[in-house]
Amino acid sequence: MSSDSAHPSASWYADFFTELPNAFWRAAVPPETTKAEVDFVIRVGGLHPGARVLDVPCGSGRHSLALARRGYHVTGLDISAEALAFAGRAAAAERLTLDLREADMRHLPARPAADAAVCMGNSFGYLCHDANRALFAGLYAVIAPGGFLVVDYCAVAEALLPHLEENGLPMSAGGITVEASNSYDALNGRLLTSFTFRRGEEEQHGTSVQHVYTAAETARMAREAGFAHVEMYADPNGTPFGLGSSRLLLIARR
């Protein structure tokens, strides 16, 4: 591993999500996955018709668009201008209304107040520890009383560590191939993943950083932020979360 990947910047996500990795993930996730996740948010969260939803980070609008199609009022926030532009074009093509804002998720909008917030697509844990805690507090502040937060977290310790491999199999989607190698920073509880994206002659390298918390630590941060009740699931079907689950779907109710 190079010195750059061994010591990535704390703000690595600021310039990681350009067109090439964004295009890969847009192609890699099938529509039925998004449908199942949005169904989960609506069903298990109890999202009422016409509710206001904050999607952070919203990426290319996968969940924002699906929620808007169902009549929800969605504000999507992301740091990637390319991803937001894609989401905006997709919304315009379908004549959907989305409030898209380019910003770091450390700086949440005070308004509009949301009935629910979603942090989907394994986007939790990107920040330093104090900022991860502050993110819960910031989301609590923008969610109206009686509302809820959904966090989709694949790097939760019980899911990640029993199956962590240094080198994953190459992946391909949308004409893009991806190679990834993992290392675990035990001192700081971080997963470091070095990516190489290739499409024809194009090539992009980058290292992602994701803090690894146990499910209990994640729930504790939510409660410390003020959320009154926390539920944990392993998948959009509502399977209870446990050791070896592939992901944590956490619902925190205000």
Side-chain angles (χ1 to χ4, degrees):
M1 179 179 294
S2 70
S3 58
D4 287 345
S5 59
H7 303 285
S9 166
S11 58
W12 64 271
Y13 54 88
D15 55 10
F16 183 94
F17 294 101
T18 56
E19 192 273 339
L20 195 56
N22 287 348
F24 170 77
W25 277 300
R26 286 193 286 260
V29 181
E32 53 268 27
T33 296
T34 302
K35 180 182 183 302
E37 291 168 350
V38 170
D39 285 347
F40 172 86
V41 171
I42 295 169
R43 182 184 73 254
V44 180
L47 194 62
H48 61 78
R52 302 159 298 173
V53 183
L54 175 64
D55 183 3
V56 55
C58 67
S60 298
R62 185 163 68 88
H63 299 98
S64 292
L65 290 162
L67 287 162
R69 290 183 192 111
R70 302 196 193 191
Y72 295 101
H73 302 283
V74 184
T75 297
L77 183 149
D78 203 277
I79 202 168
S80 171
E82 192 280 336
L84 291 172
F86 180 93
R89 291 192 299 270
E94 297 186 44
R95 297 185 179 180
L96 298 172
T97 299
L98 285 183
D99 179 3
L100 298 171
R101 307 185 186 187
E102 184 179 345
D104 191 306
M105 60 183 165
R106 293 175 299 177
H107 308 296
L108 300 176
R111 292 289 183 271
D115 299 299
V118 295
C119 181
M120 305 291 285
N122 192 34
S123 299
F124 175 70
Y126 285 3
L127 309 174
C128 70
H129 174 62
D130 287 344
N132 287 328
R133 293 178 62 205
L135 178 62
F136 272 109
L139 290 168
Y140 177 85
V142 301
I143 297 172
F148 65 93
L149 165 67
V150 179
V151 176
D152 174 16
Y153 185 32
C154 296
V156 65
E158 292 93 336
L160 175 74
L161 297 181
H163 310 293
L164 184 63
E165 296 182 357
E166 182 175 349
N167 295 304
L169 295 174
M171 301 171 286
S172 63
I176 301 167
T177 60
V178 181
E179 295 177 357
S181 61
N182 299 309
S183 63
Y184 182 60
D185 173 10
L187 180 63
N188 297 294
R190 304 184 307 168
L191 172 67
L192 310 180
T193 305
S194 296
F195 289 96
T196 300
F197 298 88
R198 295 187 180 91
R199 180 177 56 197
E201 298 299 316
E202 296 177 81
E203 187 170 300
Q204 179 175 330
H205 302 271
T207 299
S208 69
V209 181
Q210 197 163 17
H211 279 76
V212 179
Y213 298 106
T214 64
E217 288 173 314
T218 311
R220 190 175 302 122
M221 284 189 281
R223 293 191 184 100
E224 288 173 350
F227 290 98
H229 182 67
V230 177
E231 303 159 26
M232 297 189 295
Y233 301 92
D235 56 46
N237 294 324
T239 304
F241 178 82
L243 182 63
S245 296
S246 61
R247 69 203 286 194
L248 169 65
L249 283 164
L250 179 145
I251 294 186
R253 301 187 189 273
R254 199 180 188 289

Coordinates of all heavy atoms in Angstrom, one line a residue, residues 13 53-64 67 74-80 84 99-109 114 116-127 134-136 138-140 142-143 148-152:
Y13 N -13.4 12.3 0.9 CA -14.6 12.2 0.1 C -14.9 13.5 -0.7 O -15.7 13.5 -1.6 CB -15.8 12.0 1.1 CG -15.9 13.0 2.2 CD1 -16.6 14.1 2.0 CD2 -15.3 12.7 3.4 CE1 -16.7 15.1 3.0 CE2 -15.4 13.7 4.4 CZ -16.0 14.8 4.2 OH -16.1 15.8 5.2
V53 N -38.6 14.8 3.3 CA -37.5 13.8 3.5 C -36.1 14.5 3.2 O -36.0 15.1 2.1 CB -37.6 12.5 2.7 CG1 -36.5 11.6 3.1 CG2 -38.9 11.9 3.0
L54 N -35.2 14.4 4.1 CA -33.8 14.9 3.8 C -33.0 13.6 3.5 O -32.9 12.7 4.3 CB -33.2 15.6 5.1 CG -31.8 16.0 5.0 CD1 -31.5 17.0 3.8 CD2 -31.3 16.6 6.3
D55 N -32.3 13.7 2.3 CA -31.5 12.6 1.9 C -30.0 13.1 1.9 O -29.6 13.9 1.1 CB -31.9 12.1 0.5 CG -31.1 11.0 -0.1 OD1 -30.3 10.4 0.7 OD2 -31.3 10.6 -1.2
V56 N -29.2 12.5 2.8 CA -27.8 13.0 3.0 C -26.9 11.9 3.3 O -27.1 11.2 4.3 CB -27.8 14.1 4.1 CG1 -28.4 13.7 5.4 CG2 -26.4 14.7 4.3
P57 N -25.8 11.7 2.6 CA -25.6 12.3 1.3 C -26.5 11.6 0.2 O -26.7 10.4 0.3 CB -24.1 12.1 1.0 CG -23.8 10.8 1.8 CD -24.7 10.8 3.0
C58 N -26.9 12.4 -0.7 CA -27.9 11.8 -1.7 C -27.2 11.2 -2.9 O -27.9 10.5 -3.7 CB -28.9 12.9 -2.1 SG -28.2 14.2 -3.1
G59 N -25.9 11.5 -3.1 CA -25.2 10.9 -4.3 C -25.9 11.3 -5.6 O -26.3 12.5 -5.8
S60 N -26.1 10.4 -6.5 CA -26.7 10.6 -7.8 C -28.2 10.6 -7.7 O -28.9 10.6 -8.8 CB -26.2 9.6 -8.8 OG -24.8 9.8 -9.0
G61 N -28.8 10.6 -6.5 CA -30.2 10.7 -6.4 C -31.0 9.4 -6.4 O -32.2 9.5 -6.6
R62 N -30.3 8.3 -6.2 CA -31.0 7.0 -6.3 C -32.3 7.0 -5.4 O -33.4 6.6 -5.8 CB -30.0 5.9 -5.9 CG -30.5 4.5 -6.1 CD -29.4 3.5 -6.1 NE -28.7 3.4 -4.8 CZ -29.0 2.6 -3.8 NH1 -30.1 1.8 -4.0 NH2 -28.3 2.5 -2.7
H63 N -32.1 7.3 -4.1 CA -33.3 7.3 -3.2 C -34.1 8.5 -3.3 O -35.3 8.5 -3.2 CB -32.8 7.1 -1.8 CG -32.0 5.8 -1.5 ND1 -30.7 5.8 -1.5 CD2 -32.5 4.6 -1.4 CE1 -30.3 4.5 -1.3 NE2 -31.4 3.8 -1.2
S64 N -33.5 9.7 -3.6 CA -34.2 10.9 -3.7 C -35.3 10.8 -4.8 O -36.4 11.2 -4.7 CB -33.3 12.1 -4.0 OG -32.5 12.4 -2.8
L67 N -38.1 8.4 -4.0 CA -39.1 9.0 -3.0 C -39.9 10.1 -3.7 O -41.1 10.2 -3.5 CB -38.3 9.6 -1.8 CG -37.7 8.5 -0.9 CD1 -36.6 9.2 0.0 CD2 -38.8 7.9 0.0
V74 N -38.5 16.0 -1.3 CA -37.2 15.6 -1.0 C -36.2 16.7 -1.1 O -36.1 17.4 -2.1 CB -36.8 14.4 -1.8 CG1 -35.4 13.9 -1.4 CG2 -37.8 13.3 -1.8
T75 N -35.3 16.9 -0.1 CA -34.2 17.7 -0.2 C -33.0 16.8 -0.2 O -32.8 15.9 0.7 CB -34.1 18.7 1.0 OG1 -35.2 19.5 1.0 CG2 -32.8 19.5 1.0
G76 N -32.1 16.8 -1.2 CA -30.9 16.0 -1.3 C -29.7 16.8 -1.2 O -29.5 17.9 -1.8
L77 N -28.8 16.4 -0.3 CA -27.5 17.1 -0.1 C -26.4 16.2 -0.4 O -26.3 15.1 0.1 CB -27.5 17.6 1.4 CG -26.3 18.5 1.9 CD1 -26.8 19.4 3.0 CD2 -25.2 17.6 2.4
D78 N -25.4 16.8 -1.1 CA -24.2 16.0 -1.4 C -23.0 16.9 -1.8 O -23.3 18.1 -2.2 CB -24.4 15.0 -2.6 CG -23.5 13.8 -2.6 OD1 -22.4 14.0 -3.1 OD2 -23.9 12.8 -2.1
I79 N -21.8 16.4 -1.6 CA -20.6 17.2 -1.9 C -20.2 17.1 -3.3 O -19.4 17.9 -3.8 CB -19.5 16.8 -0.9 CG1 -18.5 18.0 -0.8 CG2 -18.8 15.5 -1.4 CD1 -17.5 17.8 0.3
S80 N -20.7 16.1 -4.1 CA -20.3 15.9 -5.4 C -21.2 16.6 -6.4 O -22.3 16.3 -6.6 CB -20.4 14.4 -5.7 OG -20.2 14.1 -7.1
L84 N -24.8 15.5 -8.2 CA -26.0 16.3 -8.1 C -26.5 16.7 -9.5 O -27.7 16.8 -9.7 CB -25.7 17.6 -7.3 CG -25.5 17.4 -5.8 CD1 -25.0 18.6 -5.1 CD2 -26.8 16.9 -5.1
D99 N -35.2 19.3 -4.4 CA -34.4 20.4 -3.8 C -33.0 19.9 -3.6 O -32.7 19.2 -2.6 CB -35.0 20.9 -2.5 CG -34.2 22.0 -1.9 OD1 -33.2 22.5 -2.5 OD2 -34.6 22.4 -0.8
L100 N -32.1 20.1 -4.6 CA -30.7 19.5 -4.5 C -29.7 20.6 -4.1 O -29.7 21.7 -4.6 CB -30.3 19.0 -5.9 CG -31.2 17.8 -6.4 CD1 -30.8 17.5 -7.8 CD2 -31.0 16.6 -5.5
R101 N -28.9 20.3 -3.1 CA -27.9 21.3 -2.5 C -26.5 20.7 -2.5 O -26.4 19.6 -2.0 CB -28.4 21.7 -1.2 CG -29.9 22.2 -1.1 CD -30.2 22.7 0.3 NE -31.7 23.0 0.3 CZ -32.2 23.6 1.4 NH1 -31.5 24.0 2.4 NH2 -33.5 23.9 1.4
E102 N -25.6 21.4 -2.9 CA -24.2 21.0 -2.9 C -23.6 21.5 -1.6 O -23.4 22.7 -1.3 CB -23.4 21.6 -4.1 CG -21.9 21.1 -4.1 CD -21.2 21.6 -5.3 OE1 -21.8 22.1 -6.3 OE2 -19.9 21.5 -5.3
A103 N -23.2 20.5 -0.7 CA -22.7 20.9 0.6 C -22.1 19.6 1.2 O -22.5 18.5 0.9 CB -23.8 21.5 1.5
D104 N -21.2 19.9 2.1 CA -20.6 18.8 3.0 C -21.7 18.4 4.0 O -22.4 19.2 4.5 CB -19.4 19.4 3.7 CG -18.5 18.3 4.4 OD1 -19.1 17.6 5.2 OD2 -17.3 18.3 4.2
M105 N -21.8 17.1 4.3 CA -22.8 16.7 5.2 C -22.5 17.1 6.7 O -23.3 16.9 7.6 CB -23.0 15.2 5.2 CG -21.8 14.3 5.5 SD -22.3 12.5 5.2 CE -20.6 11.8 5.2
R106 N -21.3 17.7 6.9 CA -21.1 18.3 8.2 C -21.9 19.6 8.4 O -22.0 20.1 9.5 CB -19.6 18.6 8.4 CG -18.8 17.3 8.5 CD -17.3 17.7 8.6 NE -16.9 18.4 7.4 CZ -15.6 18.9 7.2 NH1 -14.7 18.7 8.1 NH2 -15.3 19.5 6.1
H107 N -22.4 20.1 7.3 CA -23.1 21.4 7.3 C -24.5 21.2 6.8 O -24.9 21.5 5.6 CB -22.4 22.4 6.5 CG -20.9 22.6 6.8 ND1 -20.5 23.0 8.1 CD2 -19.8 22.3 6.1 CE1 -19.2 23.0 8.1 NE2 -18.7 22.5 6.9
L108 N -25.4 20.7 7.7 CA -26.8 20.4 7.3 C -27.6 21.7 7.3 O -27.4 22.6 8.0 CB -27.4 19.4 8.3 CG -26.7 18.1 8.4 CD1 -27.4 17.3 9.5 CD2 -26.8 17.3 7.1
P109 N -28.6 21.7 6.4 CA -29.5 22.9 6.3 C -30.4 23.0 7.6 O -30.8 22.0 8.1 CB -30.3 22.7 5.1 CG -30.4 21.2 4.9 CD -29.0 20.7 5.4
A114 N -37.4 18.4 8.4 CA -37.8 17.1 7.7 C -38.7 16.2 8.7 O -38.5 16.2 9.9 CB -36.6 16.4 7.3
A116 N -38.5 13.1 8.0 CA -37.6 11.9 8.1 C -36.3 12.3 7.4 O -36.2 13.2 6.5 CB -38.2 10.7 7.4
A117 N -35.2 11.6 7.8 CA -33.9 11.8 7.1 C -33.4 10.4 6.8 O -33.6 9.5 7.6 CB -32.9 12.6 8.0
V118 N -32.7 10.3 5.7 CA -32.1 9.0 5.3 C -30.6 9.2 5.0 O -30.2 10.2 4.4 CB -32.8 8.3 4.1 CG1 -34.2 7.9 4.5 CG2 -32.8 9.2 2.9
C119 N -29.8 8.3 5.5 CA -28.4 8.3 5.2 C -28.1 6.9 4.7 O -27.8 5.9 5.4 CB -27.5 8.6 6.4 SG -25.7 8.6 6.2
M120 N -28.3 6.7 3.3 CA -28.3 5.4 2.7 C -27.1 5.1 1.9 O -26.2 6.0 1.7 CB -29.6 5.3 1.9 CG -30.9 5.6 2.6 SD -31.4 4.3 3.8 CE -31.9 3.0 2.7
G121 N -27.0 3.9 1.4 CA -25.9 3.6 0.5 C -24.6 3.4 1.2 O -23.5 3.7 0.6
N122 N -24.6 3.0 2.4 CA -23.3 2.8 3.2 C -22.5 4.1 3.3 O -21.3 4.1 3.1 CB -22.5 1.7 2.6 CG -21.4 1.2 3.5 OD1 -21.5 1.3 4.7 ND2 -20.3 0.8 2.9
S123 N -23.1 5.2 3.5 CA -22.4 6.5 3.6 C -22.2 7.0 5.0 O -21.7 8.2 5.1 CB -23.3 7.6 2.8 OG -23.4 7.2 1.4
F124 N -22.5 6.3 6.0 CA -22.2 6.7 7.3 C -20.7 6.2 7.7 O -20.3 5.2 7.3 CB -23.2 6.1 8.3 CG -22.8 6.4 9.8 CD1 -22.9 7.7 10.2 CD2 -22.3 5.4 10.6 CE1 -22.6 8.0 11.5 CE2 -22.0 5.7 11.9 CZ -22.1 7.0 12.4
G125 N -20.1 7.1 8.5 CA -18.7 6.7 9.0 C -17.6 7.4 8.2 O -16.4 7.1 8.5
Y126 N -18.0 8.2 7.2 CA -16.9 8.9 6.4 C -16.1 9.9 7.1 O -15.0 10.2 6.7 CB -17.6 9.6 5.2 CG -18.1 8.7 4.1 CD1 -18.0 7.3 4.1 CD2 -18.7 9.2 2.9 CE1 -18.5 6.5 3.1 CE2 -19.1 8.4 1.9 CZ -19.0 7.1 2.0 OH -19.5 6.3 0.9
L127 N -16.7 10.5 8.1 CA -16.1 11.6 8.8 C -15.2 11.2 10.0 O -15.2 10.0 10.3 CB -17.2 12.5 9.4 CG -18.3 12.9 8.3 CD1 -19.4 13.7 9.0 CD2 -17.7 13.8 7.2
A134 N -21.4 14.3 15.7 CA -22.1 15.6 15.4 C -23.1 15.4 14.3 O -24.2 16.1 14.3 CB -21.1 16.6 15.0
L135 N -22.9 14.5 13.4 CA -23.9 14.2 12.3 C -25.2 13.8 12.9 O -26.3 14.2 12.5 CB -23.3 13.2 11.3 CG -24.3 12.8 10.1 CD1 -24.6 14.0 9.3 CD2 -23.6 11.7 9.3
F136 N -25.1 12.8 13.8 CA -26.4 12.4 14.5 C -27.1 13.6 15.1 O -28.3 13.7 15.0 CB -26.1 11.3 15.5 CG -26.1 9.9 15.0 CD1 -24.9 9.2 14.9 CD2 -27.2 9.3 14.6 CE1 -24.9 7.9 14.4 CE2 -27.2 8.0 14.1 CZ -26.1 7.3 14.0
G138 N -26.8 16.7 14.4 CA -27.4 17.6 13.4 C -28.6 17.1 12.7 O -29.6 17.9 12.4
L139 N -28.7 15.8 12.5 CA -29.8 15.2 11.9 C -31.0 15.3 12.9 O -32.2 15.5 12.5 CB -29.5 13.8 11.4 CG -28.6 13.7 10.2 CD1 -28.1 12.2 10.0 CD2 -29.3 14.2 9.0
Y140 N -30.7 15.0 14.1 CA -31.8 15.1 15.1 C -32.4 16.5 15.1 O -33.6 16.7 15.2 CB -31.2 14.8 16.5 CG -32.2 15.0 17.6 CD1 -33.1 14.0 18.0 CD2 -32.3 16.2 18.3 CE1 -34.0 14.1 19.0 CE2 -33.3 16.4 19.3 CZ -34.1 15.3 19.7 OH -35.0 15.5 20.7
V142 N -32.7 18.7 12.7 CA -33.5 19.0 11.5 C -34.8 18.1 11.3 O -35.6 18.4 10.4 CB -32.7 19.0 10.2 CG1 -31.5 20.0 10.3 CG2 -32.2 17.6 9.8
I143 N -34.9 17.1 12.1 CA -36.0 16.2 12.0 C -37.1 16.7 13.0 O -36.8 17.0 14.1 CB -35.6 14.7 12.3 CG1 -34.7 14.2 11.3 CG2 -36.9 13.9 12.4 CD1 -34.1 12.9 11.6
F148 N -38.2 10.5 12.1 CA -37.2 9.4 12.2 C -36.1 9.5 11.3 O -36.1 10.2 10.3 CB -37.9 8.0 12.1 CG -38.4 7.8 10.7 CD1 -37.6 7.1 9.7 CD2 -39.7 8.2 10.3 CE1 -38.1 6.9 8.5 CE2 -40.2 7.9 9.1 CZ -39.4 7.3 8.1
L149 N -35.0 8.8 11.6 CA -33.8 8.8 10.8 C -33.5 7.3 10.4 O -33.7 6.4 11.3 CB -32.6 9.3 11.6 CG -31.2 9.0 11.1 CD1 -30.9 9.7 9.8 CD2 -30.1 9.4 12.2
V150 N -33.1 7.0 9.2 CA -32.7 5.7 8.7 C -31.2 5.8 8.3 O -30.8 6.6 7.5 CB -33.5 5.2 7.6 CG1 -33.0 3.8 7.2 CG2 -35.0 5.1 8.0
V151 N -30.4 5.0 8.9 CA -28.9 4.9 8.6 C -28.7 3.5 8.0 O -29.0 2.5 8.7 CB -28.0 5.1 9.8 CG1 -26.6 4.9 9.4 CG2 -28.3 6.6 10.3
D152 N -28.1 3.4 6.8 CA -27.8 2.2 6.2 C -26.3 2.0 6.2 O -25.5 2.8 5.6 CB -28.3 2.2 4.7 CG -27.8 1.0 3.9 OD1 -27.4 0.0 4.5 OD2 -27.9 1.1 2.7

